[in-house]
Amino acid sequence: MEKFFVRHKLSLDDLTYLSDTDSRNIIRKNTLSEEDIVEIETYERRFLGQITEIKPNSVEIHIVEDLGPRESEYTPDITIIQSLSNESKFNYFIEKSVEIGIERIIPIESKYSLCKRSKAVRNYGYWNKLVRDATEQSRNIFPTIIEKPIKISQLTEQNLVPNSIRICLATTEVENPKNLRDYLSSCNISKPVYIAIGPEKGWDYSDIDIFKNLGFSFVKLNGNILRTESTSLVIGSIIKYLKGEL
């Protein structure tokens, strides 16, 4: 039985559509027909679905049976906690994060963010469109999860997986930050990783206190000074490489 992934929540008797890529593959291969049964998986649950309609550009699925929770809970491998920047830069960051395979993004308003959470919330629908478009282009199996923006004070243990690697880029805000390469060489890189990246002006001392209380280690990069959106992508790519995913 063929299996497909749907990025949004589903319930019994729902109608949904497969992704554009999956739909095109079904149509091109011509291996499935209307009324065939397929397995549908979301981030949380598994279902049986019946193909109800195959159109030139889409495949409609009727959810006919709930198979229960996923066998293993989906845990994002790499999460970037990114301070909000101006619209064009943040949109670029989202697109490129999806392309390299970052599994989750938590946008935050920190002390020196260039965009307020209240304004960023209005862009949330467009961000999800960017994720969908970039996912189709890069053919990710699990589309990037982008959370609604929060204030840094709302970041708690509930946002984080226990026993995970937590790093915060802080070049000048703390004394003696560890070199990223040296720090990662001492870590079990198979664990989920959280990467916190601040705005161009850096973190405020109150931001640093929040990360300290959440058990983050503070690291720095050698070499050229990078813009905030570039830094996220560089560190994310390094960790993807160390995990054997690039």
Side-chain angles (χ1 to χ4, degrees):
M1 182 182 300
E2 294 202 40
K3 179 188 296 186
F4 301 96
F5 184 83
V6 173
R7 71 179 303 275
H8 52 262
K9 291 184 178 181
L10 291 171
S11 301
L12 189 63
D13 211 35
D14 280 352
L15 287 176
T16 190
Y17 289 90
L18 298 183
S19 69
D20 291 348
T21 299
D22 287 337
S23 296
R24 285 195 297 267
N25 286 338
I26 288 174
I27 295 165
R28 178 174 56 83
K29 294 177 181 178
N30 197 29
T31 55
L32 292 172
S33 305
E34 292 181 4
E35 300 188 2
D36 283 350
I37 300 296
V38 295
E39 184 175 338
I40 301 295
E41 192 171 72
T42 69
Y43 289 117
E44 299 172 342
R45 303 186 71 79
R46 296 166 52 244
F47 301 90
L48 289 182
Q50 184 176 43
I51 298 177
T52 52
E53 189 173 24
I54 298 178
K55 295 182 178 180
N57 297 309
S58 64
V59 176
E60 183 185 71
I61 304 291
H62 177 214
I63 302 301
V64 296
E65 185 176 347
D66 187 337
L67 300 178
R70 288 171 54 103
E71 294 179 2
S72 59
E73 183 180 355
Y74 177 72
T75 300
D77 215 20
I78 300 177
T79 297
I80 294 182
I81 302 169
Q82 179 73 35
S83 181
L84 292 163
S85 56
N86 68 46
E87 189 171 317
S88 61
K89 288 183 178 181
F90 204 83
N91 292 347
Y92 173 85
F93 156 70
I94 292 172
E95 288 181 335
K96 299 309 174 185
S97 294
V98 175
E99 289 179 17
I100 67 174
I102 300 301
E103 287 88 355
R104 184 184 180 209
I105 298 169
I106 303 177
I108 60 169
E109 178 192 335
S110 59
K111 175 74 172 182
Y112 301 120
S113 291
L114 296 180
C115 178
K116 297 294 185 181
R117 185 196 67 85
S118 56
K119 181 180 179 181
V121 166
R122 297 197 290 271
N123 295 326
Y124 184 67
Y126 182 66
W127 290 348
N128 277 291
K129 182 182 183 302
L130 289 177
V131 169
R132 290 194 298 271
D133 292 346
T135 297
E136 291 295 330
Q137 184 274 327
S138 56
R139 299 186 181 182
N140 282 351
I141 297 174
F142 292 107
T144 301
I145 303 167
I146 185 163
E147 305 284 358
K148 288 187 176 180
I150 60 175
K151 292 189 175 182
I152 192 170
S153 59
Q154 297 173 292
L155 190 66
T156 68
E157 284 288 347
Q158 292 183 341
N159 303 105
L160 311 172
V161 174
N163 195 30
S164 52
I165 298 172
R166 305 174 185 185
I167 57 177
C168 176
L169 187 74
T171 304
T172 60
E173 300 92 334
V174 298
E175 291 186 8
N176 301 318
K178 301 175 183 177
N179 177 271
L180 178 67
R181 180 181 59 185
D182 295 338
Y183 176 75
L184 291 177
S185 67
S186 64
C187 294
N188 177 2
I189 202 64
S190 64
K191 295 180 179 180
V193 179
Y194 292 85
I195 308 164
I197 305 294
E200 300 290 351
K201 288 183 65 175
W203 301 111
D204 182 69
Y205 73 90
S206 60
D207 302 331
I208 292 293
D209 285 344
I210 289 171
F211 288 118
K212 284 181 178 178
N213 291 334
L214 290 172
F216 276 73
S217 297
F218 298 97
V219 300
K220 63 178 180 179
L221 290 172
N222 291 334
N224 295 347
I225 297 175
L226 304 177
R227 293 187 181 275
T228 178
E229 68 276 8
S230 301
T231 304
S232 303
L233 300 172
V234 167
I235 296 180
S237 297
I238 290 170
I239 293 175
K240 292 284 288 185
Y241 174 79
L242 293 175
K243 285 177 173 287
E245 298 171 4
L246 277 182

